[in-house]
Amino acid sequence: MKQFLIVRTCYLFFCGFTLISCSQKQKIDLLICNAKIYIVDEQFSTATAIAINKGRIVATGDTKSLQAKYTAANELNAKGQFIYPGFIDAHTHFYRYGLGLQTADLAGTNSWEEILQKSKSFASENKDGWLIGRGWDQNDWAIKEFPAKEKLDLLFPDRPVLLTRIDGHAAIANQTALNIAGLKPGYMLTGGLVETKNGMLTGMLLDNAVSIVGSKVPEPSSAQKKEALLDAQQNCFAVGLTTVDDCGLNYEEVLFIDSLQKAGQLKMRIYAMLSDATENYNFLFKRGKIKTDRLDVRSFKVYADGALGSRGAALLQPYTDKPAWSGFLLRTQAHYDSVASLISQHDFQMCTHAIGDSGNRTVLKIYGKYLKAKNDKRWRIEHAQVISQNDFKLFGKYNIVPSVQPAHATSDMYWAAARLGPDRVKGAYAYKQLLDQNEWMPLGTDFPVEDISPFKTFYAAVFRIDAKAYPDGGFQVENALTRREALKGMTLWAARSNFEENEKGSLEKGKMADFIIVNKDLLVVSANEILNTTVVATYIGGEKVWGK
Ligand SMILES: [Zn+2]
């Protein structure tokens, strides 16, 4: 009897022990071990393991303790590689970039002749309809002047051609395209320019004039639209992007994106800003903010002015390299004021493109009128590129969010001082000075104006040099960001600019499991190694969406 009791006690003890260890080992979907993980929380802490279940982060910690705590359906040894939150690009034209992949790529061309050649070979492979090209930049040519259309007319006498400059704010069209759009010498419009020389059209179009011709280009088919979005997504996953802010879509485009996301085909998370158009305001004010797992629509994208490269940016004083020309606002002050009033009444977010110091001052003042004081509305100025020294403080005073693209600094530095002169250029691309205003700031690329790679953003923000390591010591390096600031700008702060900091932007417990595995430690490696960083895998909601 006594012996039996001992056996029974042992048996009970054994069962109890098993029960405890079973209940301690929690079943999860994915456990990644032996990594260096940058959580990008307030303390900027690191970990070596991350546990993921049902698309969310369950825990981060050291490998041994997480292995003891969890049994994973899938356990991955990261072998010392580096994990960051998935990159969020706070300013892109994702959909337009995708469509652009279907047109002639003129980026990096060095002369007008080269553009004509590329257009010709693209046309021989794509024989029907409009010939569309994108990405040229006269600042890269030996003669840095806008082209004229004569040779384009000779090459394409019957087919309409529209070739857009890298920033999208200028384009050259041939005569056939101009005829279709009904543009004649001396055509006048607000917020744009149809260039005329000696009483003849040159084919050059600025800002709203580009839209007049662009509106005549037939809409892409549903199949082309879908292909555009999926191609864009694929390229973006390969460089570690898990969320993109698409700055300026029509509501129909947003509904199309939503349908692809809901069908499980488009996995990219998108923060969509609707364009400044009556039908978009009517749609969203009636429908209310849209929020799904992958789509967030609560803001409007407005354009104050054009770009500095095409001298369409509105400056307070004339351009240093074009006396008596100060650029222009794209709409009247009254328009911006009425839009701000409407957006403010409905409690949505306003995001306005402003490049020149006059464009920025106009927006800062109108924002100030409706924001009144410190607030958490997160109204953004996209680019905030040239700021008068007197105006920086307005960002802090009204908590206006500067949404900046560091690669613009190192792309434009070759000619920015020529446009602005030595004093004004000091208030241009002044990212550190802007960051100091609110102590947080989202970063982006503005692709396809710049390359899609977030690593190039990080590199430009921190080192203020281009891929050729020019200039020595960096361009206006007093406005460089630290590595931590740059990383936060591409993750947590970008999420915050989208009101999504509680679900994204860091690898804290409970957040969406959007992260990337890369081969370099961005917080440590040298400048040129940053550009050689490769993404090993990209995860969205714990699902591997891209990997080598
Ligand atoms: Zn843009």
Side-chain angles (χ1 to χ4, degrees):
M1 188 66 192
K2 199 178 177 187
Q3 214 172 7
F4 171 75
L5 269 176
I6 290 166
V7 171
R8 224 173 83 131
T9 320
C10 282
Y11 177 72
L12 280 173
F13 176 77
F14 178 74
C15 280
F17 180 77
T18 324
L19 270 175
I20 289 165
S21 68
C22 282
S23 68
Q24 273 183 346
K25 278 250 183 186
Q26 193 186 320
K27 280 186 183 163
I28 56 165
D29 296 330
L30 176 64
L31 180 64
I32 304 183
C33 301
N34 302 317
K36 180 163 185 187
I37 302 169
Y38 284 99
I39 293 169
V40 193
D41 52 4
E42 279 310 313
Q43 307 73 39
F44 221 83
S45 41
T46 58
T48 62
I50 182 166
I52 288 140
N53 199 36
K54 295 193 167 67
R56 299 265 170 178
I57 297 160
V58 180
T60 51
D62 69 274
T63 295
K64 273 202 177 133
S65 64
L66 262 55
Q67 276 172 335
K69 208 168 165 193
Y70 300 105
T71 336
N74 183 8
E75 188 173 324
L76 186 77
N77 185 346
K79 296 179 184 160
Q81 298 187 103
F82 307 90
I83 294 182
Y84 302 90
F87 292 134
I88 301 171
D89 190 325
H91 188 116
T92 79
H93 303 276
F94 176 75
Y95 176 53
R96 214 172 77 201
Y97 162 74
L99 287 174
L101 296 173
Q102 297 166 14
T103 65
D105 180 10
L106 305 175
T109 45
N110 293 309
S111 66
W112 178 228
E113 284 303 322
E114 192 183 343
I115 289 169
L116 294 170
Q117 278 312 315
K118 282 208 167 183
S119 304
K120 218 171 109 180
S121 63
F122 184 84
S124 67
E125 282 159 33
N126 302 269
K127 293 196 187 327
D128 298 322
W130 282 64
L131 173 57
I132 306 293
R134 186 176 212 288
W136 59 269
D137 184 352
Q138 85 284 1
N139 290 310
D140 294 341
W141 308 347
I143 303 160
K144 299 180 196 316
E145 277 169 27
F146 281 148
K149 68 180 174 58
E150 282 81 14
K151 287 180 181 169
L152 213 52
D153 288 338
L154 287 175
L155 276 177
F156 306 102
D158 306 313
R159 190 175 179 182
V161 182
L162 182 65
L163 309 177
T164 312
R165 192 179 178 278
I166 183 83
D167 58 14
H169 290 272
I172 184 156
N174 70 346
Q175 190 57 46
T176 309
L178 296 169
N179 289 344
I180 292 171
L183 296 182
K184 297 205 166 65
Y187 187 98
M188 300 298 281
L189 72 160
T190 24
L193 182 78
V194 179
E195 196 182 62
T196 307
K197 261 186 197 155
N198 308 321
M200 307 279 279
L201 293 176
T202 64
M204 273 305 304
L205 308 163
L206 286 190
D207 289 294
N208 289 344
V210 182
S211 316
I212 293 177
V213 179
S215 69
K216 300 294 172 190
V217 179
E219 271 276 294
S221 67
S222 283
Q224 285 172 316
K225 289 177 188 173
K226 182 177 162 186
E227 186 186 311
L229 288 162
L230 297 186
D231 288 350
Q233 158 173 280
Q234 194 61 18
N235 292 355
C236 288
F237 286 164
V239 294
L241 289 164
T242 53
T243 295
V244 291
D245 288 25
D246 201 329
C247 302
L249 294 170
N250 291 322
Y251 76 91
E252 293 104 331
E253 292 164 341
V254 168
L255 293 176
F256 185 66
I257 286 171
D258 187 38
S259 70
L260 287 184
Q261 287 174 327
K262 285 185 173 145
Q265 294 173 316
L266 189 65
K267 292 177 191 274
M268 180 63 83
R269 298 196 205 270
I270 296 176
Y271 188 81
M273 301 174 190
L274 294 187
S275 307
D276 174 19
T278 311
E279 64 270 22
N280 289 333
Y281 294 116
N282 290 344
F283 168 81
L284 203 63
F285 291 151
K286 190 167 168 222
R287 168 97 175 229
K289 291 166 187 145
I290 300 173
K291 181 82 177 84
T292 72
D293 239 20
R294 296 191 195 254
L295 182 66
D296 201 340
V297 195
R298 58 180 298 157
S299 70
F300 292 93
K301 166 76 182 300
V302 177
Y303 279 91
D305 59 354
L308 197 61
S310 46
R311 297 188 188 84
L315 297 182
L316 294 165
Q317 301 296 325
Y319 279 76
T320 303
D321 58 0
K322 194 175 181 186
W325 175 259
S326 302
F328 47 82
L329 292 177
L330 297 184
R331 305 293 293 266
T332 60
Q333 298 251 2
H335 173 77
Y336 300 124
D337 193 288
S338 70
V339 162
S341 164
L342 204 61
I343 294 173
S344 161
Q345 277 167 40
H346 288 84
D347 196 26
F348 282 66
Q349 184 190 38
M350 185 161 172
C351 306
T352 309
H353 162 118
I355 300 281
D357 50 8
S358 173
N360 275 286
R361 181 174 291 177
T362 301
V363 179
L364 286 163
K365 289 206 162 151
I366 290 173
Y367 277 19
K369 180 176 164 188
Y370 293 97
L371 297 172
K372 296 189 179 75
K374 295 255 181 218
N375 65 87
D376 195 31
K377 303 261 185 217
R378 307 185 198 182
W379 281 19
R380 297 165 42 163
I381 293 188
E382 303 301 319
H383 313 306
Q385 208 168 84
V386 187
I387 310 292
S388 162
Q389 288 301 338
N390 302 320
D391 293 344
F392 278 96
K393 59 180 182 298
L394 298 175
F395 286 90
K397 185 175 178 188
Y398 302 115
N399 295 121
I400 293 166
V401 181
S403 163
V404 305
Q405 301 74 38
H408 284 345
T410 51
S411 291
D412 299 0
M413 64 185 173
Y414 289 94
W415 45 261
R419 297 277 190 282
L420 298 169
D423 294 331
R424 272 190 302 198
V425 78
K426 292 287 169 206
Y429 317 95
Y431 307 139
K432 185 70 175 179
Q433 231 180 317
L434 285 168
L435 173 62
D436 288 345
Q437 288 298 318
N438 295 304
E439 289 170 344
W440 69 277
M441 179 172 73
L443 302 182
T445 58
D446 200 12
F447 74 70
V449 177
E450 300 286 347
D451 188 80
I452 61 171
S453 172
F455 300 102
K456 293 184 179 172
T457 300
F458 185 88
Y459 175 85
V462 173
F463 302 102
R464 308 268 298 186
I465 54 178
D466 66 10
K468 291 170 254 166
Y470 176 87
D472 247 354
F475 166 71
Q476 299 188 173
V477 76
E478 65 278 12
N479 271 303
L481 304 182
T482 66
R483 293 183 195 232
R484 285 185 180 195
E485 288 164 349
L487 187 58
K488 280 189 173 178
M490 296 155 62
T491 54
L492 190 60
W493 292 340
R496 187 168 171 185
S497 77
N498 298 349
F499 299 88
E500 293 179 336
E501 73 274 22
N502 291 326
E503 60 190 32
K504 286 181 193 170
S506 69
L507 300 177
E508 292 165 280
K509 186 180 169 184
K511 285 195 178 182
M512 291 169 164
D514 295 359
F515 62 93
I516 55 173
I517 307 178
V518 310
N519 68 340
K520 299 270 162 85
D521 188 339
L522 297 176
L523 277 295
V524 175
V525 298
S526 66
N528 63 330
E529 281 192 77
I530 302 275
L531 292 184
N532 295 327
T533 307
T534 51
V535 175
V536 178
T538 301
Y539 287 78
I540 292 189
E543 179 191 357
K544 189 173 176 179
V545 291
W546 193 86
K548 294 210 160 142

